[in-house]
Amino acid sequence: MRTLLVTGPGGSGRTTVAAATALDAARDGRRVLLLTADPTPGLPAGPDPASGSGPAPGSGPASGSGPASGSGPDPTPGFPAATGAPPTPAGLTVRRLDPAAHFRRELLALQAHAGPALDLLGAAPLDDDELTPLPGSAPFTYLAALRDAARQEWDLVVADLPALPDAVALLALPEQLRRYLRRLLPPERRAARALRPMLAQLARVPMPPDGLYEAAARKDADLAAVTDLLATPATRVRLVVEPGPAAAGALRTARAGLALHRLPLDAVVANRLLPAASPDPWLADLADRQRGHLKELYEAGAPVREVPHLGRDPRTPADLALLGPLAPDPADAAAPAPPWPVEDLRATEGALVWRVPLPGAAKSDLGLVRRGDELALTVGPFRRLVPLPSALRRCTVTGAALRDGELRVRFAPDPGLWPRTP
């Protein structure tokens, strides 16, 4: 299964590009799942997969349904016109995510699980109709949807993610949550059931109930499924931008954040490109300036896909078909991301150098803090705690430098910890 995670600055058209990508892949005969929290043009959506009632692959609400691809409104002169296209293919399933409903389900399930304890405290239970989602609850809906997708059989999953940098923070969340669970409830410290009364008496404090560890294990398994999905070479991120003054900066920010979390960039979609030749002087001047910003995207070194402006908002599958071939090539197999290498320069410089690729990062945005056996790396709005390789845990950090998109962290062996040569 391949997974394509689509994001971009707000208003760049990422939902439309995600829908066009999924539709294009399904017309090639692939079984495609499109996950989105926003309406998609001309593609009816099915239930939130987190409800557990979603259809099987290839049998979703968009399978052979939805409006036929008609010609739509009259085209704007100089822009592409829809000429008709096949109906929505049977292999496409569109699922509309509902963060509010997911929040209510999760909170009510937690309330039911903790029912006996709440009864002892005299707590009044909450009802479904009085619950409203809390800020920050939406990312958990995406994680649940990706978890369910990883456990089913699809040829391609296209996920319409939130805008940058929220999308990068969302993709980093499974690793962070698993780390928190291991710190708060280490599985190896779970006492045997027969020993719990004795240990509680000796410690004179109540022992954490078995149910707490069991719930943590279930959550860890769910997060592990998403972590594995994001770590596979078949998962890539596609960035959608509209060529303009902020496009190159958005690309730099995205590349740095994705590299920090070892997420490969599939391509940059230059969306809503105006016709290069136009009899309207104002439109021609606007197109020339847009092409200048497009050149900046090409010069950044990332693969670029150009998507035309239709002169109108896409409303039908026929409009989506005009956006060009966007489906990833199924034969394009990505290689696993190599580990960040450690260069041994002890013989010449007395140091070990950890080389961390961070394309797009700027020196002013970098932060570096050693914390035990971890390194806290900050790149602009993104932060990650990275475990140190075993050799570097016996060293001290002596400096760091950013050169040609690569962070080089220098470590000096600690004489008290480094094994001595006989």
Side-chain angles (χ1 to χ4, degrees):
M1 184 182 79
R2 299 197 60 175
T3 305
L4 197 61
L5 309 169
V6 182
T7 184
S12 61
R14 62 186 186 278
T15 298
T16 299
V17 170
T21 302
L23 186 63
D24 184 33
R27 283 177 175 156
D28 286 340
R30 286 183 264 182
R31 296 169 300 173
V32 182
L33 172 65
L34 172 62
L35 300 172
T36 180
D38 298 312
T40 50
L43 300 179
D48 183 345
S51 67
S53 59
S59 62
S63 301
S65 63
S69 301
S71 59
D74 293 335
T76 304
F79 290 87
T83 58
T88 305
L92 175 62
T93 298
V94 183
R95 287 180 178 168
R96 177 85 176 272
L97 306 184
D98 188 344
H102 180 261
F103 173 80
R104 291 194 298 269
R105 284 193 300 269
E106 290 291 306
L107 187 56
L108 291 175
L110 176 63
Q111 178 177 262
H113 184 75
L118 294 176
D119 291 340
L120 289 176
L121 296 174
L126 297 169
D127 295 326
D128 190 333
D129 57 4
E130 65 179 309
L131 297 178
T132 56
L134 297 176
S137 59
F140 296 95
T141 309
Y142 282 92
L143 295 185
L146 290 172
R147 174 204 63 197
D148 293 343
R151 294 173 177 173
Q152 297 178 348
E153 295 292 332
W154 303 98
D155 296 320
L156 175 67
V157 174
V158 180
D160 171 30
L161 298 184
L164 283 170
D166 292 339
V168 178
L170 185 157
L171 298 176
L173 193 56
E175 179 184 89
Q176 294 172 345
L177 292 178
R178 295 190 73 193
R179 180 178 181 275
Y180 298 157
L181 281 175
R182 289 192 296 268
R183 289 288 300 275
L184 296 174
L185 291 170
E188 62 273 9
R189 295 190 180 180
R190 179 178 180 179
R193 188 182 300 271
L195 298 177
R196 295 177 65 81
M198 181 182 66
L199 292 175
Q201 185 176 6
L202 291 174
R204 299 189 181 277
V205 294
M207 297 295 292
D210 277 342
L212 189 59
Y213 283 98
E214 293 168 359
R218 288 193 299 270
K219 288 298 181 184
D220 185 72
D222 290 343
L223 293 169
V226 183
T227 301
D228 292 343
L229 175 69
L230 298 178
T232 178
T235 297
R236 296 184 181 182
V237 179
R238 181 169 290 185
L239 179 68
V240 181
V241 297
E242 186 171 354
L251 175 55
R252 286 192 297 270
T253 300
R255 293 186 73 182
L258 295 175
L260 178 63
H261 295 285
R262 295 170 56 82
L263 294 166
L265 180 63
D266 167 76
V268 179
V269 176
N271 196 24
R272 303 189 186 118
L273 288 177
L274 299 170
S278 173
D280 186 333
W282 178 83
L283 186 60
D285 178 68
L286 189 61
D288 286 341
R289 282 184 283 166
Q290 190 183 59
R291 292 287 166 177
H293 295 299
L294 177 63
K295 182 180 178 182
E296 295 177 350
L297 298 179
Y298 276 102
E299 291 173 347
V304 178
R305 294 190 178 213
E306 300 184 12
V307 172
H309 199 306
L310 301 184
R312 61 187 183 279
D313 291 333
R315 297 178 182 176
T316 67
D319 288 338
L320 296 178
L322 291 174
L323 300 183
L326 289 170
D329 186 353
D332 182 15
W340 294 342
V342 177
E343 189 175 5
D344 189 350
L345 300 179
R346 286 177 295 162
T348 57
E349 301 179 19
L352 297 167
V353 179
W354 198 16
R355 301 171 60 180
V356 181
L358 292 177
K363 291 182 180 180
S364 58
D365 294 334
L366 285 178
L368 184 67
V369 177
R370 170 78 179 268
R371 187 184 182 280
D373 290 340
E374 295 177 319
L375 202 63
L377 289 175
T378 301
V379 183
F382 312 112
R383 189 170 187 263
R384 184 187 180 193
L385 287 173
V386 186
L388 291 173
S390 58
L392 301 184
R393 296 175 187 176
R394 303 188 297 271
C395 303
T396 56
V397 179
T398 59
L402 182 67
R403 299 174 184 170
D404 301 324
E406 182 181 70
L407 176 64
R408 302 180 183 182
V409 188
R410 296 177 63 86
F411 292 80
D414 187 335
L417 300 175
W418 198 263
R420 297 184 178 182
T421 304

